[in-house]
Amino acid sequence: TQWLITGRRVEGVKAVDVTTGKLFDVRARMVLATGGPWNNSLRSGLKSLQASPLRWLKAINLVTRVQGTGQAAVGVRSTMPGGRIPGFIFFTPWQGRTIIGTTYIPYQGSPDGLQVTEQEIQSMIDEINTALPALILRRADVLFAHVGLLPAKNENPAALEPHFKLIDHSRE
């Protein structure tokens, strides 16, 4: 329910037993906040220890009716500007379908509100058709889209963070 802080050091958390409703303290030499995209809201209770907010990229893949890559994944260079990293569209066979992606878009807002818009799907279809015009992908070929959040580099919020971050607040 809250952080246990002494000076500038997080020493634990106040937790609630969900079966009894009783509050209790958990103290530790080290506390790791492993909340993924919820870490910004977790860290909001640490005003005196607040580092810059973590940035996120919305990662979108399309699951399509497209068949034809056999058992091999295929990468096609994208010529359109945008969030594609590092400039390829991948076609991966999956259960008689093909997963196409991934598109990365800078994301702000609550992870609870994460969803894919029709505009984002159409933008991906346009990019796919530009990179591979013979495919002629249509909206009706897209069965569904899946989305997730991945950490962005703080110095370049359009690029993926390749490593985890461990912030030692006792040293900062």
Side-chain angles (χ1 to χ4, degrees), residues 38-172:
W38 287 269
N39 266 340
N40 286 338
S41 59
L42 286 173
R43 292 169 14 154
S44 68
L46 303 172
K47 297 284 187 224
S48 64
L49 307 176
Q50 188 72 1
S52 60
L54 302 171
R55 296 175 192 238
W56 301 96
L57 293 173
K58 181 193 262 191
I60 305 169
N61 291 296
L62 303 179
V63 177
T64 69
R65 300 178 202 277
V66 174
Q67 297 179 15
T69 61
Q71 294 183 346
V74 175
V76 176
R77 183 171 290 282
S78 170
T79 57
M80 291 181 71
R84 178 121 0 255
I85 299 172
F88 289 90
I89 300 170
F90 291 96
F91 297 78
T92 306
W94 177 72
Q95 297 187 5
R97 310 285 188 222
T98 299
I99 300 174
I100 305 174
T102 300
T103 288
Y104 301 93
I105 303 167
Y107 183 77
Q108 295 178 348
S110 168
D112 296 326
L114 183 66
Q115 53 186 282
V116 180
T117 67
E118 281 298 321
Q119 180 180 354
E120 290 164 339
I121 292 171
Q122 189 58 54
S123 178
M124 286 183 73
I125 291 170
D126 294 344
E127 183 177 0
I128 292 162
N129 285 330
T130 299
L132 198 61
L135 182 62
I136 312 172
L137 187 69
R138 299 178 318 270
R139 177 61 180 94
D141 297 320
V142 177
L143 301 172
F144 61 93
H146 57 85
V147 64
L149 291 174
L150 297 172
K153 286 186 174 182
N154 277 339
E155 64 275 7
N156 181 1
L160 284 172
E161 176 60 57
H163 307 288
F164 69 88
K165 289 191 178 205
L166 182 59
I167 301 168
D168 186 345
H169 292 287
S170 69
R171 293 186 179 160
E172 293 184 15

